Amino acid sequence: MASPVTTQAVRPLDTLRFDTSGPPQIMTVVSDHLRLLGAQTADTAPGSESAGRTVLSGRDFAPVQVRTTWACPGTGVNDEATVQAATGIMAVHGRRDGDPRGLAVDYASVATGVLTVQSLLAGLLAQARGGAAPAEITTSAQRAGLLAVSQYLAASGADEGEAAELAPGGPPFTSSDGLLFELETLDPGAWAAFWGGLGAPPEAIRAGWRPFQFRYATACAPFPQALETTTRAHPWQRILRAASMSGAEVCVLRTLAERAAEYDGAPPWSMDLLGQGRMHPVSAPSPELPLAGVTVLEAGRRIQAPLAAHLLGLLGADVIRIEPPGGDPLRGMPPACSGVSARWLALNRGKQAMEVDIKSPTGRRRLRETAAEADVFLHNWAPGKAAELGLDATDFASVNPALVYAYTSGWAGRLPDAPMGTDFMVQARTGVGEAVRPDGETPAPSLMTLLDVLGGLLGTEAVLAGLLLRERTGHGVRVDSSLLGAADTLTAPFLRRAARGENPRRPAGFRRPLPTADGWIVPSDRCAAAAAAYDLRELPTDDALRQLRAHGLTATRVTTDLAELHDDPRFAGSISRDTHGAPAVPDPWSFI
């Protein structure tokens, strides 16, 4: 079997240089990631607050240029706050509380920065594979925001209702000694045993499982009040014992200061060279589809790995999903469009499927044989499962030394005491629960799947970097990304402030929507303080917007019903429907 090769001196963008200008929330992410991938800074400039530009160039490559904007001009969407409001991020994040709420982190900006790096890597990869450089690439925070809510948008346009009630409520829970904590289990038996061990009423245990099980899909969890009352009656040590005895897991919400104290500064992904081998001849890419001719095998579940593969498919790759015998059970998860889960379609439309029983020797042999003809194998199995099954990077390298083997995990093995690597537990453990809410509010991880989505974007970025590294070295590559990397990327400015001993959180009231007579509006971050001086509660939304604009203030209407995005003039022509009738968001980048 091939052994990993050290990559300390080998990075995919070595010998390349870049210059950037534009909105700092976006361009800081772009610059940081390009440096981590090996590129050197040629120049940086403040540029415009409304649009940015990144150029990456070097020996053997024509320059690749990306233009990055907030949104289409004239829409009133021109910064992080207004993007969150318009795209529905505030509506989804606010479901736990019953009203739209802004994320105190620059979520759309960070996602846009990662998408910009993806497009730069794709442009270079097209050239390395014998194609032409794209004449122009564009990304926008507006499209990044739509991608972030795509599964919720798809569900809003389905033929039936949600799998669970959309109503306020959800973790974290509180112990009698005042500790806030998250709870996680995928097993209804463990759920029942945990609560039974604490003496919760049986009817509350039964009623609480469904909203808990589907909270990642609905972004809320209206539990019976009896469950909250139960945890408040027990100290943390008693809750820990109940979790240990039941098989459920609990995690105290950590602060940003605690995360900053242990942060090791690791990149959001890692890369190791594997064997050197012959790459399969593939058709030349086009500027519009830089991954045309690339084959990706994806053995993913839920969101992180499926989203990473979905984006690779949008870039032109042929994506084959590895599903268990009988097919992916999530295909039937409500709500459905033409009999197929709308949420599943948002992440998996357009992929081919191959049913493989990886628990059987015959199935594993078949998977390895298929991987021998592929370019990428991508999965997000539980830690240790790939090695246990003989499906780890070295196992695949023995049949395909030129393979890019990608693992999108929860923790990347970086925290030995880490709990289960799911979105909400990673948010709790890394201080994201504190970062997403401004100062003065009780910390609480968002029930919108922030890290699953951002982790999927980082997974795509890592695969593209791995493919480029393969083209430049002739070696297969193992790339690892994680939800922990996503959390650290998202909270990087907060961790820097915490490390300096400053209060890392945004000020009280930050990105709080303003109520109108028939809805909500959000001013841009720059105009928020001035806009708060106006009482708009008696005015219709359109009149409130006109009043603020008359005073030179920028604001936009908050989308509260995602189904309305179809007819929203701010997104004219952006949102379509697939062959099943499910809403589909536009590609996050445009290649010309």
Side-chain angles (χ1 to χ4, degrees):
M1 293 185 182
S3 299
V5 178
T6 181
T7 60
Q8 287 200 314
V10 182
R11 293 180 292 180
L13 299 186
D14 278 349
T15 75
L16 278 74
R17 298 176 68 80
F18 70 92
D19 63 78
T20 62
S21 64
Q25 303 104 303
I26 298 172
M27 293 307 166
T28 297
V29 176
V30 174
S31 298
D32 287 348
H33 284 211
L34 291 178
R35 289 191 190 97
L36 288 170
L37 290 167
Q40 301 296 311
T41 306
D43 188 27
T44 58
S48 167
E49 285 292 325
S50 60
R53 184 188 69 113
T54 306
V55 180
L56 183 60
S57 59
R59 190 178 65 234
D60 303 324
F61 289 100
V64 178
Q65 178 171 300
V66 181
R67 181 174 180 270
T68 304
T69 65
W70 289 110
C72 296
T75 60
V77 179
N78 62 0
D79 75 341
E80 175 71 32
T82 50
V83 167
Q84 287 191 25
T87 59
I89 289 176
M90 286 189 177
V92 177
H93 172 59
R95 285 178 181 176
R96 172 205 270 115
D97 300 287
D99 290 319
R101 281 178 177 255
L103 291 164
V105 291
D106 294 334
Y107 187 74
S109 300
V110 171
T112 307
V114 176
L115 288 164
T116 299
V117 175
Q118 288 177 16
S119 65
L120 289 162
L121 291 169
L124 290 178
L125 186 57
Q127 295 182 63
R129 295 179 56 230
E136 181 180 75
I137 307 173
T138 60
T139 62
S140 75
Q142 175 178 284
R143 290 195 174 191
L146 291 175
L147 179 66
V149 301
S150 59
Q151 60 160 326
Y152 305 102
L153 172 61
S156 75
D159 303 330
E160 59 186 9
E162 276 282 8
E165 180 186 10
L166 294 182
F173 298 99
T174 309
S175 67
S176 64
D177 35 5
L179 292 178
L180 296 169
F181 68 93
E182 264 287 354
L183 167 68
E184 184 65 280
T185 178
L186 306 179
D187 179 7
W191 165 268
F194 172 78
W195 289 107
L198 294 177
E203 62 275 13
I205 298 173
R206 287 193 295 271
W209 169 247
R210 190 169 183 84
F212 178 83
Q213 178 188 17
F214 286 105
R215 70 198 188 284
Y216 84 95
T218 60
C220 58
F223 298 137
Q225 182 59 41
L227 298 185
E228 302 276 0
T229 303
T230 296
T231 63
R232 289 179 180 275
H234 297 284
W236 175 241
Q237 290 302 317
R238 176 72 185 86
I239 291 168
L240 269 179
R241 287 197 299 273
S244 177
M245 293 176 66
S246 67
E249 294 197 33
V250 290
C251 179
V252 170
L253 267 63
R254 299 290 187 97
T255 65
L256 290 161
E258 288 174 313
R259 176 61 189 147
E262 68 177 5
Y263 178 48
D264 58 6
W269 15 244
S270 62
M271 298 177 198
D272 292 292
L273 297 184
L274 297 171
Q276 190 165 19
R278 180 180 59 86
M279 285 177 269
H280 306 291
V282 294
S283 56
S286 67
E288 299 87 356
L289 296 173
L291 294 193
V294 171
T295 299
V296 176
L297 301 183
E298 176 234 313
R301 59 179 185 171
R302 293 247 179 154
I303 297 170
Q304 186 185 16
L307 175 59
H310 173 66
L311 293 173
L312 295 171
L314 295 180
L315 289 167
D318 296 316
V319 181
I320 303 172
R321 264 183 70 75
I322 307 303
E323 300 188 1
D328 186 349
L330 292 181
R331 288 176 182 265
M333 179 185 179
C337 285
S338 302
V340 181
S341 168
R343 186 168 283 106
W344 187 90
L345 286 168
L347 303 172
N348 297 292
R349 64 170 60 89
K351 299 176 183 177
Q352 304 173 57
M354 184 172 79
E355 295 183 14
V356 178
D357 182 5
I358 61 173
K359 297 179 181 179
S360 75
T362 300
R364 294 194 292 273
R365 183 171 60 252
R366 182 186 175 206
L367 182 54
R368 284 190 290 265
E369 290 171 351
T370 305
E373 303 299 320
D375 299 283
V376 178
F377 179 75
L378 167 67
H379 74 90
N380 64 340
W381 295 330
K385 182 177 180 180
E388 177 187 325
L389 294 172
L391 299 174
D392 208 347
T394 52
D395 300 304
F396 281 103
S398 66
V399 298
N400 185 354
L403 186 73
V404 173
Y405 183 98
Y407 181 31
T408 60
S409 68
W411 299 103
R414 287 169 50 199
L415 291 180
D417 63 338
M420 189 184 302
T422 61
D423 188 309
F424 308 129
M425 292 295 263
V426 178
Q427 286 195 53
R429 176 65 179 76
T430 60
V432 173
E434 187 176 55
V436 296
R437 293 193 171 231
D439 206 12
E441 294 187 16
T442 302
S446 176
L447 288 181
M448 180 179 167
T449 51
L450 300 181
L451 299 186
D452 273 335
V453 170
L454 186 54
L457 298 184
L458 289 171
T460 304
E461 183 182 51
V463 169
L464 290 167
L467 285 168
L468 183 60
L469 188 57
R470 180 182 77 158
E471 292 291 337
R472 301 193 75 185
T473 65
H475 283 264
V477 184
R478 172 174 177 147
V479 297
D480 287 75
S481 59
S482 65
L483 300 181
L484 175 59
D488 290 339
T489 300
L490 184 62
T491 59
F494 298 80
L495 297 179
R496 286 192 288 267
R497 290 197 291 271
R500 295 193 296 264
E502 302 170 6
N503 181 0
R505 302 176 77 184
R506 270 10 200 293
F510 187 71
R511 289 193 186 134
R512 180 63 64 86
L514 304 176
T516 65
D518 57 358
W520 303 81
I521 64 171
V522 161
S524 65
D525 285 334
R526 182 178 58 82
C527 299
Y534 297 92
D535 186 352
L536 308 172
R537 289 171 294 179
E538 303 300 321
L539 293 177
T541 297
D542 289 343
D543 290 347
L545 289 172
R546 277 192 288 270
Q547 178 172 323
L548 292 181
R549 288 168 187 162
H551 291 87
L553 303 176
T554 302
T556 195
R557 179 175 58 83
V558 177
T559 297
T560 54
D561 181 356
L562 270 61
E564 296 177 354
L565 288 173
H566 289 277
D567 303 314
D568 192 320
R570 295 172 295 186
F571 304 97
S574 293
I575 299 169
S576 60
R577 291 188 180 270
D578 65 17
T579 55
H580 290 85
V585 302
D587 292 2
W589 356 248
S590 297
F591 292 83
I592 299 175

